[in-house]
Amino acid sequence: MHPYVLVLLSGVVLASLLYFVQLKKCGLNPWAALAAMALGSGLGLVCAKAGYCLLLPGVTLGRYGVSALFRGDFTEFSFVAGAAGVCLGAALGARLCRLPVSRAMNAFAPALALLAAAARFGEYFLEWVGYGKYVDQPWQQFFPLSVESPYGGWYTAVFMLEGFSALALAVVLEILDRRGGKCLFARCVFYLALPQIFWESLRALAMKWGFVRVEQVLCGVIVTAVIAWHCLKAARGGVRRFLPVGGMLLCIAVMVGVEFALDKTNISYLICYGVMILALLGMAALEIYSVRRRKA
């Protein structure tokens, strides 16, 4: 069995145990975690593959036909679509076990972040997947900041940075849960997708439409949809309650400009990524504001 698959299966087991504990703590049937993770794993795999083929039909279905859906190349899976499949499986598992889906998905949030971390850490065993730019400074050539390729040379270990950010999110969600935090699942989805916009820009290999990085676009849609959901659930404010959505769209427009500048101009990477980070911080501030207003 491929080492990546072993790491992923280990992540599924650990996430299942964490979900089991979370459900038990919430007074819900903890054994529902098994059904949720079984369905989530299956749907995650299917959605990851189908999502990749449907999002890049020209290089998949157009080249290989229907057999593209059964190719085992690890570079031909969509992480975002796979995560969506896992969430769908968890929700179906909760429904089948007659659990309140909203409460069950909030309990699932830390497990989802933990599983995402395992999926990213496992990319260590996939050549070139998750690599960033070439690292030529000797003081930067150390793991986990960078990784040596099988053919020599050091490259930024973007997959490790992604894994650490997801793992940190799992810890934060667990702390928020103990403090009685609300909207944990929505916040988990938001903060898995938000930094991924940045990490995706650093990846050398990515799903692309021209210079547009597909999973960046998906993450932008996801974070905006989460904010729109919070605004919809706000008790008052009329049309003005959707102003944060406008702010999100403005930040996304800024990041589109940054990606264009990175691909088509000679503007310094430091300046471009500095602007992108500021836009991401602005989006995080809008999320915090929207959650607080929804609670109020």
Side-chain angles (χ1 to χ4, degrees), residues 93-118:
R95 176 69 69 182
L96 289 174
C97 295
R98 298 182 180 180
L99 301 183
V101 176
S102 178
R103 289 181 61 196
M105 294 306 289
N106 282 333
F108 179 65
L112 174 61
L114 180 61
L115 184 57

Side-chain angles (χ1 to χ4, degrees), residues 150-168:
Y151 308 101
W154 288 78
Y155 297 83
T156 307
V158 179
F159 63 92
M160 290 299 295
L161 302 176
E162 291 171 308
F164 283 131
S165 69
L167 190 59

Side-chain angles (χ1 to χ4, degrees), residues 120-177:
R120 288 310 193 189
F121 287 141
E123 290 180 354
Y124 174 84
F125 299 102
L126 303 179
E127 294 181 6
W128 303 111
V129 175
Y131 285 20
K133 294 186 179 298
Y134 179 76
V135 176
D136 55 3
Q137 298 296 325
W139 65 273
Q140 296 177 338
Q141 295 175 349
F142 66 92
F143 188 79
L145 179 62
S146 58
V147 61
E148 188 175 12
S149 80
Y151 308 101
W154 288 78
Y155 297 83
T156 307
V158 179
F159 63 92
M160 290 299 295
L161 302 176
E162 291 171 308
F164 283 131
S165 69
L167 190 59
L169 177 60
V171 173
V172 171
L173 290 170
E174 183 66 24
I175 294 172
L176 290 176
D177 181 58

Side-chain angles (χ1 to χ4, degrees), residues 11-25 28-41 86 89-99 104-105 107-108 111 115:
V12 170
V13 172
L14 292 175
S16 299
L17 290 173
L18 179 57
Y19 190 27
F20 182 95
V21 172
Q22 290 292 105
L23 287 175
K24 188 174 182 179
K25 186 167 59 176
L28 301 174
N29 178 14
W31 296 104
L34 300 180
M37 292 307 296
L39 285 170
S41 300
V86 170
L92 288 175
R95 176 69 69 182
L96 289 174
C97 295
R98 298 182 180 180
L99 301 183
M105 294 306 289
F108 179 65
L115 184 57

Side-chain angles (χ1 to χ4, degrees), residues 80 84 189-190 193 215 217-228 248:
V80 175
V189 170
F190 185 91
E215 298 212 312
V217 174
L218 296 179
C219 288
V221 171
I222 288 169
V223 294
T224 304
V226 171
I227 294 298
M248 293 291 291

